[in-house]
């Protein structure tokens, strides 16, 4: 059992004990019901308290049971709540720290509730593409009021208990404890005070109405559909809360359950649940135990004050970690610091950052022109030009000045981390930390593990990634790591589509309609088309067999590098980022087709999306086989947090599994027959072919 039972005088206390957040797994549910039975059978017990051990009342469902038979076994949460409601003796929920999802629904089923200050209250199911499924949409409006409850349910965001407790007329809490420390004693006293009160109060018996019901719910429906058009759950939250106001409680519960079960089977919910699990799994490295000793990171040095160096520095300043930036010239340092100040001042102006916080962060920032001044830093991150010779110069100097045990990290996006590590006498201390631009905004951090990177370095960097609020994903060493190695195949397909009849805007629109934040050509203009040009020049030497469309090179030969030059695949007006279709570019593409002797054909949006996305999938399968990524969920996390892949589709590998790997392989066979494509690339990766033949999906 993961629920403890103790009697204190006349009060039985059932304590949920399923760390870390007292998830309501099968054993916990059984323990609650057993405890209720013991308390009701004991004549000396007159009331019951339900609380949680450690750092939570309850965080809701036990994620370890997601997708297993245990999640379906009786007693389910509905049965547990029914047992509480039917208890002959009053049940008091003593809530602290976290009461979310099923944990909050459990408390709503109790006869009384007492809460400690600082308890996070939430029904976050909407973030998994679901609605609350154990009475949350029916009970919460009865204790908070319809509008406040719906706002909480639709947002899924937590609200502190003291804020709710201060709302006039709220019935969620019968009492607020003086402090978290006082909760246990106050809960016992409160339970004794209500021991003889009859009838026992039930939330289900409270009235639930809205004075302008139809108009309010239509307004709410319009709002959530506008804000979450690709997600069915928010609109269904509105439907369920409306049912609470218009149906008998039992009928409302049936409606809620029906909606919950139907949403469970939607691709959006499957994608969001996959994301939930993959994000937690990304931090787990198969051969690096969670208790691996970590190095202390009290100060950070950053080499380079450009766009990346400044953005990287802001992450650590935001986390309260001192940063020293090194540059070769004072003017470059001054420009970099000015940009950091400008970024913070913009946040202050928008009300996102307080002046005192801004001052605190800038006080943590120092600069230098001398490598010797970095000698005491615990972590140094290089963010200089993406050229191996430049990296060599930097790392040899770092090797000479950095203290023993300091971690030496490179922000390289494509280069060989093992070669960079070999420039030092301490390759075990070298690791890749690939931030994505803008580094102070983008969530993804690719942590590149070299052949000699020590386990404690890897564990430390993953921990520091969490501290600076990044989603950290481990990659092995290869050209481009996970994200850029895959995006190259995506970009190659985009180029071939131009050769065959598409315009840049047609490709971008099709991909953006699919859900990407930005199509490949708008993305190229934002990142800088000269970056891809440099990679293709390197490819011409290293892999002369790799086929590309010449359109991208021709674009760069015209000096159209993107937004920074005011012209790329699109035209741009000064001071604006609106992508304006370019007649010059479209003419250049048409002339290129004529040179190749290609007659343009009409290409459907479906083909555009499949070729781009399945190119990611096939390369992702190769990456898994090569051991560059340890699991398909890591690849999905890279694309969801770093490349704008639509969250409601769950990432390229999950999406391929939803489509069916057999269907993916069939489409790839069709693409291989296209004379203007790269037939060799469309040969399915062995792992993909194997899974498709066996009728399986990516794990």
């Amino acid at each position: 059992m993961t629920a403890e039972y103790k009697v204190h005088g006349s009060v039985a206390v059932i304590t949920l004990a399923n760390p870390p957040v007292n998830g309501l797994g099968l054993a916990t549910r059984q323990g609650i019901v057993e405890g209720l039975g013991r308390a009701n059978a004991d004549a000396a017990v007159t009331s019951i308290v339900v609380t949680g051990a450690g750092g939570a009342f309850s965080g809701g469902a036990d994620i370890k049971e997601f997708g297993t038979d245990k999640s379906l076994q009786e007693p389910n949460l509905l049965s547990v709540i029914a047992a509480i409601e039917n208890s002959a003796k009053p049940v008091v929920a003593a809530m602290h720290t976290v009461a979310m999802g099923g944990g909050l629904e459990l408390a709503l089923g109790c006869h009384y509730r007492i809460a400690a200050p600082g308890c996070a209250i939430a029904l976050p199911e909407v973030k998994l593409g679901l609605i609350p499924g154990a009475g949350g949409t029916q009970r919460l409006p009865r204790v908070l009021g319809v509008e406040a409850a719906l706002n909480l349910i639709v947002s899924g965001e937590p609200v502190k208990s003291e804020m709710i407790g201060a709302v006039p007329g709220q019935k969620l809490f019968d009492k607020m404890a003086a402090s978290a420390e006082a909760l246990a004693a106050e809960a016992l006293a409160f339970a004794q005070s209500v021991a003889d009160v009859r009838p026992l109060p039930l939330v289900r018996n409270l009235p639930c109405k809205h004075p302008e019901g139809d108009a309010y719910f239509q307004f709410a429906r319009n709002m959530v559909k506008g804000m979450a058009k690709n997600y069915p759950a928010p609109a269904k939250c509105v439907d369920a809360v409306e049912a609470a106001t218009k149906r008998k409680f039992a009928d409302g519960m049936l409606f809620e359950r029906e909606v919950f079960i139907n949403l469970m089977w939607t691709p959006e919910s499957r994608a969001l649940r996959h994301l939930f699990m993959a994000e937690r799994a990304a931090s787990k490295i198969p051969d690096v135990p969670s208790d691996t000793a970590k190095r202390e990171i009290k100060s950070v040095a950053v080499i380079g004050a450009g766009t990346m160096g400044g953005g990287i520095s802001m992450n650590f300043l935001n986390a309260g970690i001192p940063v020293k930036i090194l540059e070769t010239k004072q003017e470059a340092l001054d420009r970099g610091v000015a940009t950091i100040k400008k970024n913070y001042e913009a946040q202050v102006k928008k009300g996102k950052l307080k002046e005192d916080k801004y001052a605190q962060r800038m006080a943590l920032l120092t600069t230098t022109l001398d490598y010797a001044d970095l000698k005491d830093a615990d972590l140094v991150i290089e963010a200089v030009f993406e050229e191996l010779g430049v990296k060599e110069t930097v790392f040899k100097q770092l090797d000479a000045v950095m203290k023993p045990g300091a971690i030496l990290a490179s922000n390289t996006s494509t280069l060989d981390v093992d070669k960079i590590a070999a420039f030092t006498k301490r390759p075990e201390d070298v690791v890749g930390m690939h931030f994505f631009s803008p580094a102070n905004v983008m969530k993804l951090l690719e942590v590149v593990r070299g052949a000699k990177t020590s386990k404690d370095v890897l564990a430390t960097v993953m921990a520091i990634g969490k501290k600076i609020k990044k989603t950290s994903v481990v990659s092995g060493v290869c050209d481009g790591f996970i994200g850029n190695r895959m995006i190259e195949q995506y970009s190659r397909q985009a180029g071939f589509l131009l050769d065959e009849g598409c315009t840049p805007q047609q490709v971008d629109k099709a991909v953006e309609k699919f859900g990407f934040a930005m199509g490949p050509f708008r993305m190229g203009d934002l990142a800088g088309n000269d970056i891809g040009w440099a990679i293709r020049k390197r490819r011409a030497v290293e892999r002369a067999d790799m086929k590309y469309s010449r359109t991208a090179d021709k674009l760069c030969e015209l000096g159209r590098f993107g937004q920074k030059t005011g012209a790329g695949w699109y035209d741009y007006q000064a001071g604006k980022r609106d992508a304006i279709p370019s007649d010059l570019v479209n003419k250049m593409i048409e002339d290129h087709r004529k040179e190749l002797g290609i007659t343009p054909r009409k290409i459907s949006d479906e083909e555009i999306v499949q070729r781009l996305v399945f190119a990611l999938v096939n390369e992702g399968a190769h990456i898994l086989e090569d051991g560059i990524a340890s699991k398909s969920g890591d690849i999905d996390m890279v694309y969801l947090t770093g490349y704008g892949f639509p969250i409601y589709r769950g990432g390229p590998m999950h999406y391929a599994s939803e489509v069916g790997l057999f269907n993916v392989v069939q489409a790839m066979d069709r693409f291989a027959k296209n004379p203007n494509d790269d037939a060799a690339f469309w040969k399915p990766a062995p792992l993909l072919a194997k899974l498709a033949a066996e009728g399986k999906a990516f794990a």
Side-chain angles (χ1 to χ4, degrees):
M1 293 293 181
T2 52
E4 299 168 355
Y5 180 88
K6 289 183 180 178
V7 176
H8 299 263
S10 63
V11 182
V13 178
I14 300 169
T15 304
L16 314 183
N18 184 16
V21 293
N22 298 323
L24 296 167
L26 177 60
T28 307
R29 301 194 302 270
Q30 289 171 334
I32 296 168
V33 173
E34 183 180 297
L36 288 168
R38 288 177 66 180
N40 276 285
D42 187 343
V45 170
T46 59
S47 55
I48 304 161
V49 169
V50 176
T51 193
F57 172 73
S58 173
D62 189 338
I63 63 169
K64 296 189 289 291
E65 291 188 2
F66 274 20
T68 70
D69 291 342
K70 283 187 176 181
S71 64
L72 303 174
Q73 287 180 33
E74 290 285 2
N76 62 27
L77 184 54
L78 289 164
S79 303
V80 173
I81 293 170
I84 291 172
E85 287 189 323
N86 292 320
S87 170
K89 298 171 183 179
V91 181
V92 179
M95 305 160 69
H96 66 90
T97 321
V98 172
M100 295 187 181
L104 178 56
E105 290 175 306
L106 179 77
L108 286 166
C110 293
H111 303 110
Y112 301 96
R113 286 156 297 283
I114 176 172
C119 181
I121 303 296
L123 288 173
E125 288 83 356
V126 72
K127 295 183 176 183
L128 298 179
L130 300 168
I131 69 169
T137 65
Q138 305 303 296
R139 289 188 177 90
L140 195 64
R142 287 173 156 82
V143 296
L144 276 191
V146 170
E147 294 190 20
L150 183 57
N151 288 339
L152 198 144
I153 292 166
V154 166
S155 73
E157 294 297 323
V159 178
K160 293 297 183 184
S161 52
E162 57 268 34
M163 290 181 65
I164 294 174
V167 176
Q170 67 82 24
K171 298 182 180 69
L172 177 54
F173 307 129
D174 298 280
K175 181 177 172 59
M176 289 294 298
S179 65
E181 294 74 22
L183 177 66
E186 290 191 35
L188 287 172
F190 182 77
Q192 288 171 327
S193 74
V194 298
D196 297 325
V197 175
R198 296 295 183 276
L200 296 175
L202 296 174
V203 169
R204 66 190 296 155
N205 293 335
L206 295 173
C208 186
K209 292 292 177 188
H210 191 284
E212 299 171 13
D214 290 344
Y216 169 72
F217 286 113
Q218 190 54 53
F219 166 77
R221 213 167 267 117
N222 292 340
M223 286 291 290
V224 299
K225 284 181 178 176
M227 294 169 65
K229 62 181 179 180
N230 294 309
Y231 299 89
K236 294 297 183 183
C237 289
V238 178
D239 294 346
V241 172
E242 182 179 36
T245 68
K246 294 186 174 181
R247 305 185 186 205
K248 292 179 180 178
F249 180 83
D251 293 338
M253 286 292 292
L254 289 173
F255 181 79
E256 178 193 81
R257 196 65 188 166
E258 180 183 353
V259 171
F260 176 86
I261 290 169
N262 287 339
L263 285 171
M264 282 280 286
W265 295 101
T266 61
E268 294 84 3
S269 179
R270 288 198 295 268
L272 290 170
R273 298 197 313 267
H274 166 69
L275 167 61
F276 181 85
M277 301 297 284
E279 189 168 15
R280 282 146 186 80
S283 63
K284 296 176 174 64
I285 308 166
D287 65 332
V288 180
S290 59
D291 60 354
T292 299
K294 298 171 184 65
R295 302 186 189 184
E296 199 169 22
I297 306 296
K298 289 184 176 179
S299 65
V300 173
V302 175
I303 313 297
T307 302
M308 285 304 297
I312 290 168
S313 299
M314 288 179 70
N315 288 296
F316 293 96
L317 297 174
N318 295 348
I321 300 172
V323 175
K324 190 180 291 279
I325 301 180
L326 178 142
E327 258 293 356
T328 55
K329 294 182 179 178
Q330 187 63 45
E331 310 91 85
L333 271 180
D334 293 342
R335 278 197 307 273
V337 172
T339 301
I340 292 172
K341 284 183 176 178
K342 183 180 175 183
N343 288 337
Y344 279 138
E345 285 165 1
Q347 291 179 28
V348 171
K349 191 174 180 180
K350 292 176 183 175
K352 294 181 178 179
L353 183 68
K354 292 184 178 178
E355 282 280 2
D356 61 335
K357 287 284 186 186
Y358 166 38
Q360 286 171 20
R361 291 175 186 182
M362 290 307 300
L364 294 170
L365 179 64
T366 55
T367 61
T368 184
L369 299 172
D370 188 349
Y371 274 88
D373 291 339
L374 309 181
K375 60 184 176 62
D376 293 324
D378 301 304
L379 165 67
V380 58
I381 304 171
E382 158 277 308
V384 301
F385 187 68
E386 187 76 346
E387 200 276 316
L388 198 61
V390 179
K391 309 285 190 190
E392 179 177 6
T393 301
V394 169
F395 273 83
K396 283 184 174 176
Q397 291 186 77
L398 291 176
D399 192 34
V401 302
M402 299 304 294
K403 68 182 181 182
I407 296 174
L408 280 53
S410 173
N411 180 52
T412 179
S413 57
T414 57
L415 298 177
D416 189 330
V417 170
D418 289 331
K419 286 182 180 177
I420 293 171
F423 299 142
T424 75
K425 297 182 182 68
R426 46 173 115 180
E428 68 281 358
D429 292 336
V430 177
V431 67
M433 290 181 72
H434 177 208
F435 290 81
F436 285 69
S437 187
N440 55 307
V441 176
M442 296 294 284
K443 279 190 68 177
L444 178 63
L445 174 63
E446 268 186 324
V447 177
V448 186
R449 182 182 193 174
K452 295 183 178 178
T453 303
S454 71
K455 291 182 180 181
D456 68 324
V457 165
L458 202 58
T460 303
V461 171
M462 293 297 282
I464 203 74
K466 186 175 183 180
K467 187 167 186 177
I468 61 173
K469 298 182 178 178
K470 297 297 183 188
T471 298
S472 301
V473 177
V474 175
S475 169
V477 174
C478 68
D479 196 333
F481 316 130
I482 296 172
N484 284 341
R485 175 171 160 179
M486 290 169 65
I487 208 70
E488 185 171 16
Q489 301 301 340
Y490 171 92
S491 299
R492 284 207 308 143
Q493 282 301 313
F496 296 150
L497 286 163
L498 296 187
D499 292 349
E500 294 170 40
C502 289
T503 61
Q505 50 269 33
Q506 182 192 354
V507 175
D508 283 349
K509 282 181 180 177
V511 170
E512 288 162 15
K513 186 178 177 183
F514 175 78
F516 271 87
M518 196 175 287
F521 298 106
R522 286 180 60 213
M523 182 180 70
D525 279 358
L526 178 64
N529 295 310
D530 51 328
I531 296 172
W533 196 22
I535 292 171
R536 289 189 299 278
K537 287 176 181 176
R538 182 159 58 86
R539 285 280 183 272
V541 176
E542 297 171 354
R543 289 194 57 184
D545 61 319
M546 189 172 280
K547 178 183 174 183
Y548 292 91
S549 165
R550 277 275 299 144
T551 51
D553 290 352
K554 286 176 176 282
L555 186 81
C556 291
E557 287 161 7
L558 294 171
R560 297 178 67 98
F561 296 153
Q563 290 185 15
K564 61 187 175 185
T565 58
W569 293 105
Y570 297 89
D571 294 329
Y572 297 91
Q573 294 177 352
K576 295 183 179 180
R577 295 197 171 192
D578 298 333
I580 303 165
S582 169
D583 291 338
L584 186 152
V585 170
N586 289 338
K587 177 72 165 53
M588 179 267 287
I589 294 168
E590 288 172 13
D591 291 344
H592 176 63
R593 282 190 206 117
K594 289 175 184 175
E595 289 173 24
L596 296 176
I598 295 175
T599 302
R601 65 185 177 88
K602 188 173 182 179
I603 300 175
S604 68
D605 286 358
E606 181 183 28
E607 181 182 339
I608 292 169
V609 169
Q610 285 189 347
R611 284 173 65 175
L612 292 174
V613 174
F614 294 170
L616 294 175
V617 172
N618 199 37
E619 193 64 23
H622 283 299
I623 283 171
L624 287 170
E625 287 175 324
D626 295 347
I628 301 303
S630 66
K631 45 195 176 295
S632 62
D634 286 356
I635 294 174
D636 287 333
M637 289 311 304
V638 166
Y639 268 80
L640 291 166
T641 58
Y643 291 85
F645 198 95
I647 288 173
Y648 60 90
R649 297 194 190 276
M653 312 311 277
H654 175 83
Y655 175 73
S657 295
E658 286 282 309
V659 170
L661 299 189
F662 175 83
N663 295 324
V664 172
V665 168
Q666 291 293 303
M668 289 169 61
D669 289 343
R670 292 196 303 274
F671 302 151
K673 295 180 176 69
N674 180 350
N676 299 310
D677 204 327
D678 182 354
F681 170 74
W682 286 119
K683 181 181 179 182
L687 174 62
L688 175 56
K690 179 177 182 290
L691 291 173
E694 294 172 352
K696 293 180 179 177
F698 290 110

